Amino acid sequence: MSIRPLLFAVLAAGLPGLALAQGSCPQGLARDGVWFDYGDRTILSRVLSDGRVLDLEYVAGQPAINSYLLLPIGLLSERWTMQAGRVDAGSHEVLRHSGFPDPVPVAAPGARFDGVETTVYEDGSTGDSHLALTVGAPQPVSIGPCLYTGLPVDITWSRPTGETIQHERLMHLSDLGVTLYLGFADPGQAVVPTLPLSISASAPRAGGAGPAPAPGAPPGPPAK
């Protein structure tokens, strides 16, 4: 057996917290941030002191920075956009979750959450979405040459009547403490996951010339 299938077999056996470093693959809790390159966008993910994850998304040709605060399991806690170092007016939203169990659990094999996500907009209005979330068994996740242990997170969104709206798939990388958004699908369709092309401890350079020097601390969430 070649070394790559052997490593995948080890990961598939469910060894927790195992990250296999090849070259400069980031390891350990992403307190200083890790960069994910999707080709048309890059995302900087950083685990904050309260356990939530700050994602800053830079999209090609888009001046705004899409900013997200995530619960450890991957559900949104806040979101906003920024331009020229300022939060866009009307873009800041707070998302609250109520249901069972309370509070929302951390990502772990077999974890579940059933409840309501309430979005609070800047003008004070609100909107509710019903969701059922499940976390699957550990599995190997390959990002470029880097191998990690991932926990698949599946979310089904539905109307109050029970009618399914859409399905989403996330992947919690246990080694790093961050959660990737892989995609969504309409009812009756399978989610086709989109993984990053690469991961690094510093920003990727234009033209694929390798990562840039490590940046300083990224901007935090808007002041309350």
Side-chain angles (χ1 to χ4, degrees), residues 11-200:
L11 281 173
L15 294 180
L18 179 61
L20 302 175
Q22 299 182 14
S24 58
C25 297
Q27 297 185 73
L29 200 61
R31 294 290 190 192
D32 296 324
V34 291
W35 291 83
F36 297 99
D37 184 7
Y38 289 83
D40 61 344
R41 67 192 187 280
T42 57
I43 295 178
L44 172 59
S45 295
R46 183 165 68 101
V47 179
L48 303 181
S49 59
D50 64 359
R52 292 186 298 174
V53 177
L54 174 63
D55 276 5
L56 301 179
E57 180 185 49
Y58 304 82
V59 180
Q62 176 179 301
I65 300 173
N66 300 316
S67 308
Y68 309 94
L69 265 178
L70 308 172
L71 300 180
I73 206 168
L75 291 174
L76 277 171
S77 175
E78 297 182 47
R79 59 187 167 202
W80 64 94
T81 59
M82 295 183 67
Q83 297 191 68
R86 299 289 186 272
V87 177
D88 290 335
S91 70
H92 185 217
E93 301 170 2
V94 176
L95 296 95
R96 299 168 180 163
H97 300 88
S98 58
F100 180 82
D102 182 22
V104 176
V106 298
R112 304 179 63 92
F113 177 76
D114 293 276
V116 174
E117 178 181 86
T118 299
T119 303
V120 183
Y121 303 96
E122 279 195 10
D123 63 4
S125 61
T126 62
D128 290 341
S129 300
H130 295 250
L131 72 145
L133 178 152
T134 59
V135 181
Q139 64 182 59
V141 176
S142 175
I143 304 176
C146 303
L147 302 178
Y148 296 99
T149 299
L151 294 174
V153 180
D154 289 292
I155 306 174
T156 298
W157 299 92
S158 61
R159 306 185 192 281
T161 58
E163 177 188 1
T164 298
I165 299 174
Q166 70 177 28
H167 302 286
E168 290 181 334
R169 166 64 64 92
L170 293 74
M171 185 66 70
H172 180 77
L173 301 181
S174 306
D175 314 282
L176 303 175
V178 301
T179 302
L180 303 176
Y181 183 85
L182 301 188
F184 73 94
D186 293 329
Q189 302 295 317
V191 177
V192 179
T194 301
L195 280 167
L197 302 175
S198 66
I199 179 175
S200 59

